Amino acid sequence: MILFMLFLSTALNYLDRTNISVAAPFLKNDLHLNSVVLGLVMSAFGWTYAFMQIPGGWILDRLGPRLTYGLGLIIWSLFTFFQAFAKGFGSLFGLRLGLGLSEAPAFPTNNRLVATWFPKQERALATGIFTAGEYVGLAFLTPVLAWIVAAFSWHTIFIVTGILGLLFVPVWFKFIREPKDSPYVNAEELAYIREGEGLADAASEKTKLKWSQISVLLKRRTMWGIYIGQFGVTTTLWFFLTWFPDYLVNDKHMTILHAGFYSMIPYIAAFIGVLFGGAFSDFLVRRGFSTSTSRKTPIIIGLLLAGSIVLANYTASIGLVITIMSVAFFAQGMSGISWSLIGDVAPRELLGIAGGIFNFAGNLSGIVTPIVIGVIVGRNHNFGGALVFVSAVAVIGALSYLLLVGKVKRIEV
């Protein structure tokens, strides 16, 4: 039940941050935004989302996951709703900043709840399943959003997704609890979680954070390897979250409806990839492989395969382009289990802040990627250089896991 709630909340979270990609081909004409300015608008979410990760992790450690996420859900749904009434660059940029600010604690909260509720041998698959919520929402609702744009207007997308988020708020507060406080958990399940190193007890305690403790998370080579690697993981993701529909419309000359339906295929591939990556990692754990091998193998393979996205530059076939994109996004999904590493290596007392730093490092690409791609497209009037950039960063991420991360074990403070 907890995992299903995380799956649904993640699907809503990603709809609200990526709905602008579907609206973009129409929105930029209506509000008179060129590619460079549109890249800035798309990056606005990343500015506040990234820089609020550490404060968001601190808030999570203070307030706990139920209240932190519930309040964030209310606020980000309102910011989503009001984007429908943006009149130009300034108002749209400001609302996207607010959206990033309020969504910042989402994934640290997801990670905290997985570390709390799931034993080690189930944690990667659980991470994969809630992460799959990103892709399921995008796969099956992107065509719906494209239809809404075509049938009504780009404004309607923001109204619909904002209302969906607000409707989910009471559901979240009803079902999300710590294991010890849940009316649905018995003593046997609590014992099972504890035996598998789930943090059923420690994670329910509110932490008094000393800022000096953050230095532990910044001095270890393992953590830096994970941070750099996550930047590589999320760069491919941010291409698909921001520019992919525009790539299909303007580079491949599709209508918005065709782009919406073709987008389903890579998104479904990513959904399968993240489930495969999680199941494969947990399978290796159960077969007796080390945590290092079990966690890092699908991430490294995924990052290397994600680099194949550059091959789309060498074909004009729509079918082959979608196939290449699907392989790259499947691979990105595989590497998306990187969140499970934080549950394995972060100090028990600092799960929230560790997740915040990790997500900050990864989502710096939410700032960099939309702007870089916007500049490249603005100069070259095509996406060739943009795909080279995405591919190169994915390979750098793989090298970081290979050369820097080392042995995966929990850091003690």
Side-chain angles (χ1 to χ4, degrees):
M1 182 179 63
I2 292 294
L3 191 53
F4 183 57
M5 288 297 102
L6 294 181
F7 178 87
L8 289 178
S9 63
T10 301
L12 286 169
N13 182 283
Y14 264 74
L15 273 181
D16 287 350
R17 71 174 70 177
T18 60
N19 47 21
I20 194 171
S21 69
V22 180
F26 294 89
L27 178 151
K28 69 178 181 181
N29 292 328
D30 198 14
L31 300 184
H32 309 293
L33 309 175
N34 61 37
S35 294
V36 175
V37 174
L38 182 60
L40 285 171
V41 169
M42 289 179 171
S43 77
F45 172 93
W47 285 96
T48 46
Y49 185 78
F51 288 105
M52 272 299 293
Q53 286 305 307
I54 296 174
W58 179 82
I59 292 170
L60 172 60
D61 285 332
R62 296 285 294 179
L63 300 182
R66 182 172 182 262
L67 185 57
T68 300
Y69 202 112
L71 292 175
L73 179 57
I74 294 170
I75 297 168
W76 93 56
S77 297
L78 290 172
F79 276 116
T80 298
F81 180 87
F82 285 113
Q83 284 175 72
F85 307 100
K87 299 299 183 183
F89 169 77
S91 56
L92 187 59
F93 189 83
L95 288 165
R96 296 295 294 181
L97 288 173
L99 183 69
L101 182 81
S102 50
E103 285 199 8
F107 269 71
T109 299
N110 290 351
N111 180 61
R112 170 86 169 255
L113 285 168
V114 166
T116 301
W117 277 90
F118 291 86
K120 182 169 68 174
Q121 68 272 18
E122 297 178 1
R123 203 171 290 153
L125 181 57
T127 301
I129 290 172
F130 85 67
T131 305
E134 305 172 9
Y135 310 112
V136 168
L138 294 174
F140 296 106
L141 292 179
T142 295
V144 176
L145 295 181
W147 173 80
I148 290 172
V149 169
F152 300 98
S153 71
W154 62 265
H155 310 79
T156 313
I157 282 184
F158 298 108
I159 294 172
V160 170
T161 50
I163 290 174
L164 282 175
L166 292 172
L167 291 176
F168 186 70
V169 171
V171 180
W172 174 270
F173 280 110
K174 177 175 174 59
F175 289 105
I176 295 297
R177 296 284 193 280
E178 301 285 355
K180 293 193 301 183
D181 302 326
S182 174
Y184 307 103
V185 175
N186 58 30
E188 184 180 4
E189 186 172 3
L190 280 175
Y192 176 71
I193 294 170
R194 290 166 181 150
E195 287 168 7
E197 299 181 28
L199 307 181
D201 301 306
S204 64
E205 300 169 0
K206 307 298 185 289
T207 303
K208 292 184 178 180
L209 179 68
K210 297 178 180 177
W211 287 103
S212 60
Q213 292 174 307
I214 296 176
S215 64
V216 174
L217 304 173
L218 298 176
K219 292 178 179 178
R220 303 296 179 95
R221 190 187 74 175
T222 292
M223 299 305 295
W224 276 102
I226 293 172
Y227 299 152
I228 295 169
Q230 187 64 2
F231 187 94
V233 170
T234 52
T235 294
T236 305
L237 177 62
W238 274 102
F239 165 73
F240 282 97
L241 296 186
T242 54
W243 283 102
F244 185 48
D246 199 66
Y247 166 73
L248 295 179
V249 170
N250 290 311
D251 227 45
K252 302 305 173 185
H253 310 294
M254 295 184 185
T255 66
I256 187 63
L257 280 175
H258 282 119
F261 281 97
Y262 273 109
S263 295
M264 286 182 66
I265 302 170
Y267 293 149
I268 292 170
F271 164 70
I272 297 169
V274 75
L275 293 180
F276 174 77
F280 181 44
S281 177
D282 283 344
F283 169 78
L284 292 176
V285 171
R286 290 192 295 269
R287 292 299 297 268
F289 287 89
S290 69
T291 304
S292 297
T293 299
S294 303
R295 298 300 189 231
K296 287 162 57 178
T297 299
I299 297 172
I300 293 169
I301 293 173
L303 282 163
L304 291 174
L305 279 177
S308 67
I309 195 172
V310 72
L311 297 176
N313 284 340
Y314 303 101
T315 179
S317 165
I318 294 298
L320 195 52
V321 165
I322 296 300
T323 300
I324 292 167
M325 292 290 168
S326 298
V327 170
F329 213 13
F330 170 88
Q332 193 281 329
M334 277 186 66
S335 62
I337 68 158
S338 50
W339 265 104
S340 64
L341 281 171
I342 294 298
D344 291 326
V345 304
R348 296 172 185 269
E349 305 89 341
L350 301 174
L351 272 176
I353 194 70
I357 296 173
F358 172 78
N359 214 22
F360 166 77
N363 281 281
L364 285 175
S365 66
I367 301 169
V368 174
T369 302
I371 294 175
V372 169
I373 292 177
V375 171
I376 292 171
V377 173
R379 286 182 176 178
N380 302 334
H381 306 292
N382 63 64
F383 280 80
L387 297 188
V388 172
F389 165 75
V390 173
S391 177
V393 176
V395 172
I396 290 170
L399 292 175
S400 180
Y401 273 100
L402 279 168
L403 303 177
L404 293 179
V405 171
K407 185 176 182 180
V408 174
K409 61 180 181 180
R410 190 173 302 282
I411 297 170
E412 302 294 338
V413 295

